[in-house]
Amino acid sequence: MEWSELKAKAKERFNGACRLCPVCNGVACAGEVPGMGGVGTGMGFRNNVSALADIKLNLRTVHRVNAPIMSTALFGQEMSMPVLAAAVGGTAMNMKCTMSEAEYSAAVITGSVQAGVLGMTGDGPNPEVFQGGLSAIKAEQGKGIAIIKPRESERIVLLANEAAQAGAVAFGIDIDAAALINMTRAGQPVGPKSFIELEYIKRNTQIPFIVKGIMTVDDALACAEAGVDAIVVSNHGGRALDHTPGTAEVLPAIARAVQGRLVVMVDGGVRSGVDVLKMLALGAEFVLVGRPVIAGAVGGGAEGVKMVMDRLAAELRAAMVLTGANDVRSVSSRVIYPPAW
Ligand SMILES: Cc1cc2nc3c(=O)[nH]c(=O)nc-3n(C[C@H](O)[C@H](O)[C@H](O)COP(=O)(O)O)c2cc1C
């Protein structure tokens, strides 16, 4: 499939939900939640993109980095690069597309596996979202991560253990969905989690536990203390709380505080391999990509997701060569101009 075909198909299938803007920055779709935008004024989404755009890179070419090491491993799972497809749910509500939840998850999980990376699946009031995700993970021998809404802790444990049964590499909770009204309206309450609850979830589950939606050093430290295995520095793509800073702004301090105690991941506004390199240089070990993967899946199914991932890999490789970064596992802040931290 050519990029032009993928884009044309995505435009048709999105049915107006996503305009496929030349720069996916949350301006045209501000306030469109449900939809593809950021909540309220859309500033959380826009801040993600602008925070990354504000970071400059040092172009360095007097070195011997010709074939940088891109591969890494997450919880024992080999990956071709430190990139994951972010969790997404609500195909009908958010994307107005005719893809079922199961079809969407299958496209993301299989396309990610074909690109040598991992994908995440989402959750929602409709059980089809979570179950469709689990089926997709199962169909790929467990090569995926199931993200559960911050439901009652006993329910989280139950669903996490279902994910473990499906062979999932890990499970997580998108803790920033703590005020999601459609869950509560559907009689499936969500809310913030106390330290004790995080410990409870960790104690009663077997596979690695990820907390997605961390934006402060204090919350990151609490996760580390509670035994959480990984955090995702994330504001849910600007869809939870309006006027949050860009994730690239808060990442360095968070990474500094918890590095070595748990795995640090990040998402928000990542649109290219250059953005991936910036996040690695700011302290992330893994980078999640949301909306570009959605466009790939809607436009081209698994093949479309693989195309998005392959493009990110090619861009990341070029960016590493041009900054002299030899290994994705040890990208130095020296690639940033001026050094950020
Ligand atoms: C339409 C849509 C649905 C989403 N659904 C979920 C979800 O079910 N669970 C979750 O953890 N995150 C969800 N997210 C957030 C993404 O996982 C991710 O944090 C965000 O999209 C990253 O920002 P980016 O799109 O700018 O890359 C959703 C995002 C979008 C745009």
Side-chain angles (χ1 to χ4, degrees):
M1 181 184 275
E2 296 295 323
W3 279 103
S4 54
E5 192 190 341
L6 185 145
K7 204 167 170 182
K9 284 209 166 123
K11 196 152 200 150
E12 182 193 317
R13 291 176 185 160
F14 266 127
N15 209 9
C18 176
R19 297 159 183 82
L20 295 160
C21 304
V23 184
C24 172
N25 58 9
V27 173
C29 56
E32 294 181 6
V33 182
M36 293 287 288
V39 76
T41 64
M43 280 310 293
F45 181 171
R46 287 157 69 177
N47 288 342
N48 283 344
V49 176
S50 61
L52 273 167
D54 283 347
I55 290 164
K56 302 178 187 76
L57 295 173
N58 284 317
L59 172 66
R60 296 171 72 225
T61 43
V62 182
H63 56 70
R64 296 169 59 143
V65 179
N66 246 327
I69 298 164
M70 307 257 296
S71 58
T72 183
L74 174 63
F75 303 134
Q77 194 69 48
E78 294 296 321
M79 293 174 66
S80 60
M81 62 174 171
V83 175
L84 295 98
V88 165
T91 52
M93 186 178 69
N94 290 312
M95 307 167 213
K96 290 191 200 156
C97 81
T98 51
M99 254 177 149
S100 70
E101 298 292 343
E103 284 167 340
Y104 179 80
S105 290
V108 170
I109 296 297
T110 298
S112 297
V113 167
Q114 286 173 359
V117 298
L118 289 172
M120 292 180 169
T121 58
D123 186 17
N126 179 351
E128 263 178 41
V129 183
F130 187 73
Q131 293 305 332
L134 279 198
S135 304
I137 291 173
K138 211 170 180 171
E140 291 294 344
Q141 289 74 49
K143 289 195 173 150
I145 294 171
I147 303 293
I148 302 163
K149 289 276 169 262
R151 301 165 176 272
E152 289 157 329
S153 297
E154 295 75 15
R155 184 91 193 121
I156 291 174
V157 166
L158 225 101
L159 294 175
N161 290 334
E162 269 188 50
Q165 290 272 308
V169 171
F171 80 98
I173 57 171
D174 51 333
I175 200 163
D176 52 3
L180 203 63
I181 197 74
N182 65 344
M183 292 293 296
T184 308
R185 278 200 193 121
Q188 301 173 50
V190 289
K193 294 283 156 212
S194 67
F195 181 79
I196 304 281
E197 285 173 292
L198 292 178
E199 276 189 324
Y200 168 86
I201 295 167
K202 176 62 194 166
R203 207 170 43 247
N204 289 286
T205 49
Q206 289 85 45
I207 51 176
F209 175 26
I210 302 170
V211 176
K212 175 173 178 284
I214 295 298
M215 289 292 284
T216 65
V217 168
D218 288 351
D219 278 3
L221 285 170
C223 287
E225 279 302 311
V228 166
D229 299 283
I231 54 167
V232 185
V233 176
S234 173
N235 60 7
H236 215 101
R239 295 166 67 83
L241 173 68
D242 202 358
H243 295 289
T244 45
T247 53
E249 292 176 82
V250 299
L251 171 62
I254 294 175
R256 250 198 320 265
V258 294
Q259 220 145 42
R261 299 181 69 188
L262 43 66
V263 176
V264 177
M265 309 187 186
V266 70
D267 71 16
V270 175
R271 302 291 175 260
S272 67
V274 170
D275 288 341
V276 173
L277 182 69
K278 287 179 179 179
M279 290 298 203
L280 297 178
L282 292 171
E285 291 160 83
F286 293 88
V287 180
L288 281 52
V289 179
R291 292 172 179 92
V293 169
I294 301 179
V298 171
E303 188 187 349
V305 172
K306 182 176 184 301
M307 280 169 71
V308 170
M309 289 297 179
D310 287 349
R311 180 145 93 179
L312 289 169
E315 291 166 348
L316 175 61
R317 182 173 292 107
M320 290 178 75
V321 169
L322 293 172
T323 54
N326 187 43
D327 190 327
V328 288
R329 292 162 300 181
S330 57
V331 175
S332 147
S333 60
R334 284 181 65 217
V335 306
I336 290 175
Y337 173 87
W341 56 290

